[in-house]
């Protein structure tokens, strides 16, 4: 029987998958001291896109919010994730800025990083970033981004594991399953193949519970020697998110495994986040049905809700299945890139354009041209020849092909942004200036979040759940409630 370590994803991948990265610091601070005392191996907290949303949507300083949370969790090792070629969205960032991002996060108390490259091509860049993190004695975890395709074999992942583990600056490896399609049967062959090439380093597993099989896969992984797994507090778990820590611990106990978590603290944390979610109108975690179609399109859990919302906004909700079929076809055409940032977005955007235009590849975004030109690395399989021809015939293709990703020096960027602090320089690179100025004018980050609750409000919510209207207004003596969705 194994002694299992748990990594908490509630405030990072859980809220990314279910709440669209809209959890502000004040929503978490009332319970971060409880999370700190629970005994998690690591608390994952930071992603660059979350910083962008805090500034754009809420005019909150994400650096200040990070400081508040880190200071409230002195016992915990805080983790951040990053793509080894970029900071936000589908962009390719200068190396100096990626390194500065790591260094600045370390200065704010982050001491663990997971680093990924969806193409598994830029191993040298992962090793370079690992060296930067090690200057601060931070832990480094190199990711194997799991996906299904004819080329993503056990041998493929074993070879990539050997390359990543070769660096003395890489402490752990992780099998990272964004679409939740790693089955127990595949785990029985994949995990031993990867473990054999890990150079004795710890292997973690991270699997989204998109179709309900992640808990089974976790148990199988543990039986194979993986003793670090990722979970979320119940309100931010399951569906597109990860398995709940509550059910996972029960499964571990029934299987005879042990852990170090203080389970008495799980209930208060879950109760708080459920109140936050309900007061803010966010989704509360629930299970999805098993859907074999997910194995075809492999859209990540966190992207599914966004895709549905975007189609609904354009009056195309009824065409979701058509778009998902096109996602599967586009991914094949582009050489089977893994479905994680930036390629899940890149494939999804192309699929929607193909459906809307009624003609495949009539419109080619710049990022697709950049991918074909090798900006992100070499595709794991060749792009279909006729599709490549369409891409390279796009109006912008010649210009992009002749211009590799810009690599300004840090000194040049400091001059461009007028001697800003490292924190502000990073924000200004990612986010337009007007949003930065609005953030500065907004003042300190709020340390709490109002939890609205009353019988009348709960009745109004129940009416919204039962009906199809997008707006509901309830008026009574001395009370007026308006809800929208």
């Amino acid at each position: 029987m194994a002694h299992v370590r748990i990594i908490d994803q509630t405030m990072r991948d859980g809220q990314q998958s279910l709440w669209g990265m809209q959890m502000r610091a004040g929503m978490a601070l009332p319970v971060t001291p409880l999370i700190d005392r629970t005994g998690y191996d690591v608390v994952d907290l930071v992603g660059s896109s979350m910083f962008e949303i805090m500034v754009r949507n809420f005019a909150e300083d994400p650096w200040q919010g990070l400081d508040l949370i880190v200071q409230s969790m002195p016992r915990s090792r805080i983790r951040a994730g990053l793509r080894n070629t970029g900071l936000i969205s589908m962009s390719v960032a200068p190396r100096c800025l990626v390194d500065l991002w790591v260094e600045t996060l370390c200065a704010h108390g982050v001491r663990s990083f997971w680093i990924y490259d969806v193409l598994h091509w830029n191993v040298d860049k992962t090793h370079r970033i690992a060296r930067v993190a090690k200057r601060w004695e931070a832990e480094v975890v190199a990711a194997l981004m799991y996906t299904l395709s004819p080329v993503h074999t056990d041998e493929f992942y074993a070879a990539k594991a050997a390359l990543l583990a070769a660096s003395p600056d890489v402490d752990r490896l992780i099998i990272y399953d964004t679409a939740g399609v790693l089955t127990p049967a595949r785990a029985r062959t994949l995990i031993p193949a990867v473990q054999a090439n890990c150079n004795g380093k710890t292997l973690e597993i991270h699997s989204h519970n998109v179709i309900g099989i992640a808990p089974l896969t976790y148990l199988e992984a543990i039986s194979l020697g993986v003793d670090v797994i990722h979970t979320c507090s119940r309100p931010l778990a399951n569906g597109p998110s990860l398995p709940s820590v509550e059910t996972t611990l029960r499964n571990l106990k029934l299987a005879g495994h042990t852990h170090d978590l203080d389970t008495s603290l799980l209930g208060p944390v879950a109760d708080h986040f459920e109140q936050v979610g309900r007061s803010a109108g966010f989704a509360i975690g629930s299970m999805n049905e098993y859907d074999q179609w997910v194995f075809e399109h492999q859209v990540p859990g966190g992207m599914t809700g966004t895709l549905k919302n975007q189609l609904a906004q354009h009056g195309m909700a009824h065409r979701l299945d058509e778009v998902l079929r096109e996602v599967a076809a586009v991914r094949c055409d582009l050489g089977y890139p893994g479905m994680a940032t930036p390629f899940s977005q890149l494939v999804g955007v192309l699929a929607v354009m193909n459906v809307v235009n009624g003609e495949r590849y009539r419109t080619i975004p710049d990022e697709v041209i950049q991918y074909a030109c090798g900006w992100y690395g070499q595709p794991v399989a060749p792009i279909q020849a006729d599709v490549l021809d369409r891409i390279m015939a796009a109006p912008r293709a010649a210009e992009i092909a002749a211009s590799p990703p810009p690599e300004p020096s840090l000194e040049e960027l400091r001059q461009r942004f007028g001697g800003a602090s490292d924190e502000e320089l990073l924000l200004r690179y990612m986010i337009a200036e007007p949003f930065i100025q609005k953030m500065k004018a907004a003042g300190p980050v709020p340390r709490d979040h109002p939890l609205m609750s009353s019988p009348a409000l709960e009745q109004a919510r129940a009416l919204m759940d039962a009906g199809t209207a997008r707006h509901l207004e309830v008026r009574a003596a001395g009370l007026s409630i308006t809800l929208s969705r």
Side-chain angles (χ1 to χ4, degrees):
M1 298 301 102
H3 186 75
V4 180
R5 291 173 283 173
I6 313 291
I7 290 179
D8 180 57
Q9 287 286 350
T10 304
M11 295 181 287
R12 210 280 299 170
D13 214 352
Q15 69 113 346
Q16 178 171 339
S17 298
L18 286 176
W19 292 4
M21 297 181 281
Q22 297 185 87
M23 182 189 291
R24 279 96 79 196
M27 293 177 169
L29 282 169
V31 292
T32 49
L34 300 182
I35 297 173
D36 187 48
R37 299 201 303 271
T38 301
Y40 289 106
D41 184 61
V42 176
V43 175
D44 200 348
L45 186 62
V46 183
S48 58
S49 293
M50 296 159 63
F51 272 43
E52 180 186 17
I53 287 175
M54 286 302 100
V55 177
R56 284 181 177 272
N57 292 12
F58 305 110
E60 284 196 5
D61 183 345
W63 293 109
Q64 186 184 137
L66 173 61
D67 287 343
L68 290 171
I69 293 178
V70 170
Q71 290 162 12
S72 73
M73 305 182 70
R75 306 181 188 186
S76 298
R77 181 167 43 180
I78 303 299
R79 178 175 289 184
L82 71 152
R83 179 163 48 96
N84 67 8
T85 57
L87 292 181
I88 60 168
S89 185
M90 295 184 283
S91 63
V92 176
R95 288 188 294 269
C96 65
L97 275 188
V98 176
D99 293 352
L100 182 65
W101 171 247
V102 172
E103 292 176 339
T104 309
L105 286 173
C106 286
H108 284 260
V110 173
R111 286 297 181 272
S112 178
F113 292 88
W114 72 276
I115 307 169
Y116 75 99
D117 169 25
V118 182
L119 298 180
H120 301 94
W121 175 257
N122 301 289
V123 174
D124 58 327
K125 294 183 179 180
T126 295
H127 290 173
R128 186 199 78 246
I129 296 168
R131 288 193 297 272
V132 173
K134 280 303 173 186
R135 296 173 195 159
W136 295 79
E137 300 182 351
E139 171 189 73
V140 176
V141 185
L144 298 166
M145 304 301 290
Y146 180 74
T147 191
L148 292 170
S149 84
V151 294
H152 288 91
T153 62
D154 292 351
E155 293 75 18
F156 173 92
Y157 284 113
K160 300 304 180 182
L163 292 173
L164 291 168
S167 169
D169 299 313
V170 170
D171 302 293
R172 300 182 180 186
L173 278 76
I174 181 172
I175 295 174
Y176 205 98
D177 176 22
T178 60
V181 292
L182 176 58
T183 65
R186 178 67 188 277
R188 292 185 199 112
T189 61
L190 174 68
I191 289 175
V194 169
Q195 286 171 323
N197 283 0
C198 276
N199 197 22
K201 298 180 179 182
T202 295
L203 181 63
E204 302 178 6
I205 187 167
H206 175 117
S207 185
H208 289 240
N209 204 21
V210 178
I211 53 175
I213 65 173
L216 288 171
T217 301
Y218 277 4
L219 290 174
E220 188 64 38
I222 292 166
S223 74
L224 294 166
V226 177
D227 62 1
V228 183
I229 60 177
H230 294 228
T231 66
C232 294
S233 180
R234 184 187 65 248
L236 288 110
N238 296 316
S241 183
L242 292 96
S244 74
V245 64
E246 293 86 354
T247 298
T248 297
L249 295 187
R250 184 165 65 247
N251 290 343
L252 294 181
K253 181 178 180 180
L254 291 171
H257 304 307
T258 59
H259 61 85
D260 286 331
L261 299 193
D262 183 346
T263 56
S264 70
L265 301 175
L266 302 180
V269 171
D271 290 344
H272 170 77
F273 282 125
E274 182 163 351
Q275 290 183 64
V276 169
R278 293 194 182 281
S279 69
F282 295 154
I284 303 298
S286 60
M287 297 294 291
N288 285 344
E289 291 184 301
Y290 180 88
D291 184 357
Q292 187 71 22
W293 181 228
V294 173
F295 289 88
E296 298 296 325
H297 62 72
Q298 297 182 62
V299 170
M303 182 178 161
T304 303
T306 303
L307 182 60
K308 289 179 179 177
N309 290 338
Q310 289 175 343
L311 291 176
Q313 289 170 6
H314 292 86
M316 293 176 55
H318 61 289
R319 302 185 74 177
L320 176 62
D321 284 348
E322 186 180 356
V323 169
L324 291 177
R325 284 194 296 272
E326 185 63 15
V327 165
V330 168
R331 180 170 175 263
C332 174
D333 290 345
L334 295 185
Y336 300 104
M339 291 297 281
T341 302
F343 300 112
S344 52
Q345 293 92 332
L346 186 150
V347 169
V349 167
L350 255 184
V352 171
M353 286 181 172
N354 288 352
V355 170
V356 170
N357 289 336
E359 177 187 342
R360 304 188 75 221
Y361 304 114
R362 189 174 80 189
T363 304
I364 307 293
D366 283 0
E367 291 82 5
V368 176
I369 302 171
Q370 292 166 2
Y371 167 66
C373 291
W375 281 34
Y376 302 94
Q378 181 175 310
V380 294
I383 300 172
Q384 294 291 329
D386 58 332
V387 175
L388 182 60
D389 289 343
R390 293 290 297 269
I391 293 172
M392 299 314 295
R396 293 257 301 149
E399 178 185 347
I400 291 173
S403 305
E407 283 291 347
S409 69
L410 188 55
E411 290 71 24
E412 290 171 331
L413 290 171
R414 291 191 197 283
Q415 291 179 4
R416 182 193 307 177
F417 293 111
S421 67
D422 290 344
E423 290 83 354
E424 184 172 335
L425 187 153
L426 288 161
L427 292 181
R428 290 173 68 182
Y429 176 82
M430 295 187 285
I431 306 160
E433 185 68 24
F435 293 103
I436 304 293
Q437 295 307 319
K438 186 177 179 181
M439 177 199 76
K440 289 181 176 181
V445 170
R447 295 172 181 254
D448 56 13
H449 176 75
L451 299 177
M452 298 179 292
S453 181
S454 71
L457 184 57
E458 293 307 315
Q459 185 177 15
R461 285 200 185 100
L463 288 171
M464 285 291 283
D465 290 341
T468 59
R470 297 186 62 82
H471 303 280
L472 175 67
E473 185 172 346
V474 178
R475 291 183 181 274
L479 174 68
S480 175
I481 299 173
T482 302
L483 297 179
S484 300
R485 61 178 166 199

